[in-house]
Amino acid sequence: MKHFPIFLAVEGRRIVVSGGGEAALAKLRLLLKTEARITVVAEAPIADVEALASKGRLTLIKRALEPGDAMCASLFYAANDDDGEDARATKLAQADGALTNWVDNLGQSQFITPAIVDRDPVTIAIGTEGAAPVLARSIKADLEARLPRALGILAHVGKTFRRAAEALPMGRKRRAFWSEFYDRAGPKAFDEGGADGLNKSLEGLLKKHLCAKAEDGHVSFVGAGPGDPELLTIKARRALHEADVVIHDRLVTPEVLELARREAVIIDAGKEGFGPSMKQTEIDALIVEHASNGAHVVRLKAGDPTVFGRLDEEIDAVNGAGIAFSIVPGITSASAAVASIGQSLTKRDRNASVRFVTGHDMKGYAEHDWRALAAPGQVAAIYMGKKASRFIQGRLMMHGAPPDTPVTVIENASRPDQRVLECRLASLPDDISAADVTGPALILYGLLPRAALALAHELKEEIAL
């Protein structure tokens, strides 16, 4: 992020615009929505700029910018439609200590103006750091259509009621009050009685929440998916938005954690196979401790919490403490991995079942029904099998699996740095080692990427001919 988004207080402060043509007028239409004192410096302003000055909307100085004109200005815009004059004006304004924007020149600007959705006092700023202005406008149009017409009025009335709402304790209870007002009670009251009915609605709602019993803590076991935040369910996003505490696995990506509420406490409870780990009993105690204090705890697990996530142990701990819980399933990495190679986990006349197995358990390398797995046509998704690959290879071949059985290793499934390794069982551990697979990897036993499979069929047909 090269530009840090902020909302600058400009009430009563100077904003200076150098230029009086169409480019300047376009900026003025936006700047005049603020409560700043606008000064325009231009030798030959167009009629529309003159008209704004005559109405007292801005101060107009009819000459070229001079040293000192931008003194004490909070912001400065160079909008002369002339590169030479804009360069000169920008240099003068910077010498006066103003933050400068050279219109349509990202490289020479100290700040940029985002696309803005205005539901005063609700303001949404959309920026693309100059990379895609058309995209920013498209997002703005979409938000304009989605946001309710009464949003600004609700925010204005809510602002005047904030002191009264401080009777509610800070945190979850106060958030619940405002959420109900903005999501349900406020829009309903406005539709039924207009702005006049909003204060009465707030007063009734406050009494309801003051008398309401304090909510007990709750634990949501949430699947974070394989890493791509776009693969999160809507329910998972809502849980992250509402969480007071998020306790997450090592494999949960920063992009997913970014979706948690800003004020939430984020706790890394990472566990690593054959490596340093937080003990399961410590994780259980953390969950229970925070939920017992009335927090909404999201236990965020990579993939799906019901697949090799030790979910039952954590549920037992929560149940034992008398704490309510819910489970929000996620996309397991096997689904993301097989989709990334254009295959399916099951296929008619190939395999009527698929096995989800783990490469290791609490006692070390995990044992399975290797004879059944080594039978022709079997497909398995092997989790946590990277470090156990030589053990898995040995067990399968010992029980009759052909050395040329196709195996695909997907590292960082669904993420931007995803890698796909096409292997055969005979070379599996060596291929993983040679590729220096360091990220989380899932092994698809019995499957090749669709493109590789098609190529193999073509070669086979050529050989037959």
Side-chain angles (χ1 to χ4, degrees), residues 2 35 54 71-72 88-89 97 113 126 146 228 235 261 279 327 385 436 441 463:
K2 294 182 179 179
E35 296 180 28
S54 67
M71 194 74 72
C72 299
R88 188 189 74 85
T113 305
I126 306 151
R146 287 169 181 256
D228 182 352
K235 201 167 187 177
R261 196 168 59 83
K279 293 180 180 178
I327 300 172
D436 191 26
I463 291 170

Side-chain angles (χ1 to χ4, degrees), residues 163-416:
R163 187 173 294 276
E166 289 174 4
L168 291 166
M170 178 73 77
R172 192 175 177 190
K173 194 156 186 174
R174 198 180 295 180
R175 286 201 312 275
F177 165 77
W178 286 117
S179 292
E180 185 171 352
F181 173 68
Y182 287 118
D183 294 343
R184 297 185 295 280
K188 181 182 178 184
F190 182 83
D191 288 342
E192 292 176 353
D196 293 338
L198 291 177
N199 272 310
K200 186 175 180 181
S201 171
L202 278 165
E203 289 166 3
L205 193 62
L206 181 58
K207 288 179 183 177
K208 170 187 166 183
H209 281 261
L210 284 170
C211 296
K213 176 187 169 186
E215 289 186 52
D216 294 329
H218 181 89
V219 178
S220 299
F221 296 99
V222 177
D228 182 352
E230 291 189 354
L231 293 179
L232 277 177
T233 65
I234 293 173
K235 201 167 187 177
R237 283 177 174 264
R238 187 182 304 122
L240 283 170
H241 175 69
E242 295 171 353
D244 300 302
V245 179
V246 177
I247 301 173
H248 67 91
D249 283 348
R250 177 180 62 91
L251 297 180
V252 174
T253 60
E255 292 81 7
V256 171
L257 288 174
E258 186 67 23
L259 299 173
R261 196 168 59 83
R262 282 282 176 262
E263 297 81 7
V265 176
I266 309 294
I267 300 172
D268 183 352
K271 295 173 70 66
E272 184 175 356
F274 300 103
S277 299
M278 180 180 285
K279 293 180 180 178
Q280 186 61 50
T281 52
E282 295 174 356
I283 296 173
D284 297 344
L286 267 176
I287 296 170
V288 170
E289 175 191 351
H290 286 284
S292 296
N293 291 331
H296 177 192
V297 178
V298 164
R299 174 62 172 117
L300 193 61
K301 294 172 174 283
D304 185 289
T306 68
V307 180
F308 302 124
R310 300 185 71 172
L311 178 63
D312 289 286
E313 297 168 56
E314 295 178 4
I315 288 176
D316 288 343
V318 168
N319 263 335
I323 298 167
F325 71 90
S326 58
I327 300 172
V328 181
I331 292 178
T332 187
S333 55
S335 296
V338 78
S340 72
I341 64 170
Q343 291 280 25
S344 61
L345 289 169
T346 59
K347 182 181 179 182
R348 186 182 298 178
D349 298 328
R350 184 190 68 195
N351 65 307
S353 64
V354 62
R355 295 169 184 261
F356 286 14
V357 300
T358 178
H360 69 86
D361 56 22
M362 290 185 292
K363 298 176 182 178
Y365 296 129
E367 289 288 357
H368 301 286
D369 184 354
W370 300 109
R371 186 176 302 280
L373 192 56
Q378 295 300 303
V379 171
I382 304 173
Y383 292 72
M384 297 170 282
K386 182 174 60 181
K387 294 179 181 177
S389 59
R390 196 167 296 280
F391 169 80
I392 293 165
Q393 175 205 51
R395 284 294 190 272
L396 285 167
M397 292 178 65
M398 184 189 304
H399 288 84
D404 64 347
T405 301
V407 181
T408 303
V409 180
I410 298 93
E411 179 188 18
N412 296 321
S414 84
R415 306 180 191 185

Side-chain angles (χ1 to χ4, degrees), residues 35-96:
E35 296 180 28
R37 294 186 294 113
I38 310 297
T39 298
V40 174
V41 183
E43 285 187 285
I46 61 176
D48 286 341
V49 175
E50 294 257 25
L52 289 170
S54 67
K55 293 175 184 177
R57 302 287 305 281
L58 54 83
T59 299
L60 179 60
I61 301 174
K62 290 187 178 182
R63 57 167 170 76
L65 192 79
E66 296 179 357
D69 283 343
M71 194 74 72
C72 299
S74 56
L75 298 174
F76 174 86
Y77 287 88
N80 291 281
D81 290 316
D82 179 279
D83 287 348
E85 181 59 20
D86 282 337
R88 188 189 74 85
T90 297
K91 187 174 181 179
L92 288 175
Q94 288 177 356
D96 287 342

